[in-house]
Amino acid sequence: SQTIHQWPATLVQPVGSPLSLECTVEGTSNPNLYWYRQAAGRGLQLLFYSVGIGQISSEVPQNLSASRPQDRQFILSSKKLLLSDSGFYLCAWSVPRRDLYEQYFGPGTRLTVT
Amino acid sequence: AQSVAQPEDQVNVAEGNPLTVKCTYSVSGNPYLFWYVQYPNRGLQFLLKYITGDNLVKGSYGFEAEFNKSQTSFHLKKPSALVSDSALYFCAVRDMGRGSTLGRLYFGRGTQLTVWP
C-alpha cells in the first residue's frame, strides 16, 4: 500500500531563517506531487505541483520554492522566512491515470514563524 | 474555470440525527467531485468521490453524497451523526482543463461540523 510522510511535524523558526520541509511517498511510481498551505485552519492554497523529477510548477508567487530531486521526494524551501509564511503545510500525491483522480494527503507540518 | 462553494462555515447537529454538509460546484465539463475530512492538526482524508454512474455515492465511515446535476450540488450526508464525526469537511472538484493526468483539485473553504452528545 501507498504511504506519504512529511517531516518535521512541527517547526518554529525565526523571521529571516531558511526553511526545508520534506515529503516522501512510498509504494507508487511517478506520482503527481503537490504542496498546499492551509492558513487559519481553513481553506487550502495550492503552492506547487510536480508531474515528474525536476518538473515544478508554481501557482502563487512568493518567497517559497519547491524541488523534486527524486521521483518520490518533494521538498519545500525558503531562503528567508516571513511572518506570513506561518501555516499548516500539506503534501499530497495522486496517480497520473485517467481513472484515478483523488489526491492523498500527508500528515502535514505546522510551521510557526516568530 | 472550476470552483466549489460550501455555503455554511459551521454545521451543528445532535448525535443520532441526520447530517448534511452542502456543496455546490461550477465546472466547464463533466464534474469530478470529492469529499475530504480533516481532524485537528491532521492531513485531509479522502471520503468519497463522484466520477460517473449512480448519483448516490457511498464512502467511508457511513458517509454518502448525492450528486444533483440540475442543481450543481454534491451534498455530503450521513443518516445518524456521531460525536466522532466532528471535523472540518472539504468539497473539491477536479480540474479537467489542463491535462487530464495532472489531477489538480479545487477545494471549497471547508465546513466545520460539530456533533454534540
Side-chain angles (χ1 to χ4, degrees):
Chain A
S1 64
Q2 300 87 0
T3 57
I4 178 169
H5 305 279
Q6 287 187 245
W7 64 89
T10 60
L11 191 60
V12 180
Q13 293 283 97
V15 169
S17 63
L19 173 73
S20 181
L21 303 182
E22 189 165 344
C23 169
T24 59
V25 180
E26 297 177 356
T28 187
S29 297
N30 195 30
N32 292 335
L33 295 172
Y34 312 83
W35 277 112
Y36 290 88
R37 178 169 58 202
Q38 186 178 28
R42 295 309 290 260
L44 294 166
Q45 179 184 37
L46 179 63
L47 301 175
F48 301 95
Y49 61 89
S50 172
V51 299
I53 295 174
Q55 301 179 61
I56 309 295
S57 296
S58 174
E59 285 294 305
V60 183
Q62 57 209 328
N63 70 322
L64 298 172
S65 62
S67 62
R68 186 170 177 174
Q70 300 179 41
D71 180 45
R72 289 170 288 179
Q73 184 185 31
F74 205 22
I75 296 172
L76 183 69
S77 304
S78 174
K79 293 182 179 179
K80 290 185 177 182
L81 283 169
L82 306 172
L83 284 174
S84 58
D85 291 325
S86 293
F88 193 48
Y89 287 82
L90 292 161
C91 181
W93 68 274
S94 68
V95 178
R97 277 170 43 182
R98 290 173 181 266
D99 57 337
L100 294 175
Y101 303 105
E102 59 267 30
Q103 292 179 13
Y104 295 94
F105 286 78
T109 295
R110 173 75 60 192
L111 172 65
T112 303
V113 182
T114 61
Chain B
Q2 281 75 0
S3 67
V4 166
Q6 293 181 242
E8 301 159 315
D9 285 342
Q10 181 93 24
V11 170
N12 299 312
V13 64
E15 187 173 34
N17 284 358
L19 69 87
T20 298
V21 182
K22 295 179 181 178
C23 171
T24 59
Y25 66 89
S26 174
V27 297
S28 55
N30 291 325
Y32 291 15
L33 298 157
F34 306 83
W35 276 102
Y36 285 82
V37 61
Q38 184 182 32
Y39 297 97
N41 294 310
R42 303 287 296 274
L44 276 67
Q45 295 179 31
F46 170 71
L47 277 179
L48 51 81
K49 65 183 176 184
Y50 172 82
I51 303 299
T52 187
D54 291 341
N55 290 341
L56 187 63
V57 179
K58 294 188 181 298
S60 305
Y61 312 120
F63 283 93
E64 57 190 25
E66 186 171 10
F67 171 67
N68 188 316
K69 188 173 183 178
S70 62
Q71 297 184 7
T72 63
S73 67
F74 189 56
H75 301 332
L76 182 70
K77 300 181 179 182
K78 187 172 183 180
S80 179
L82 301 172
V83 172
S84 58
D85 293 329
S86 298
L88 186 59
Y89 290 81
F90 289 96
C91 183
V93 63
R94 189 176 188 267
D95 180 0
M96 297 300 293
R98 295 171 63 179
S100 62
T101 59
L102 174 59
R104 177 177 177 174
L105 297 181
Y106 292 86
F107 288 86
R109 283 187 46 80
T111 298
Q112 180 66 48
L113 172 67
T114 301
V115 181
W116 69 82

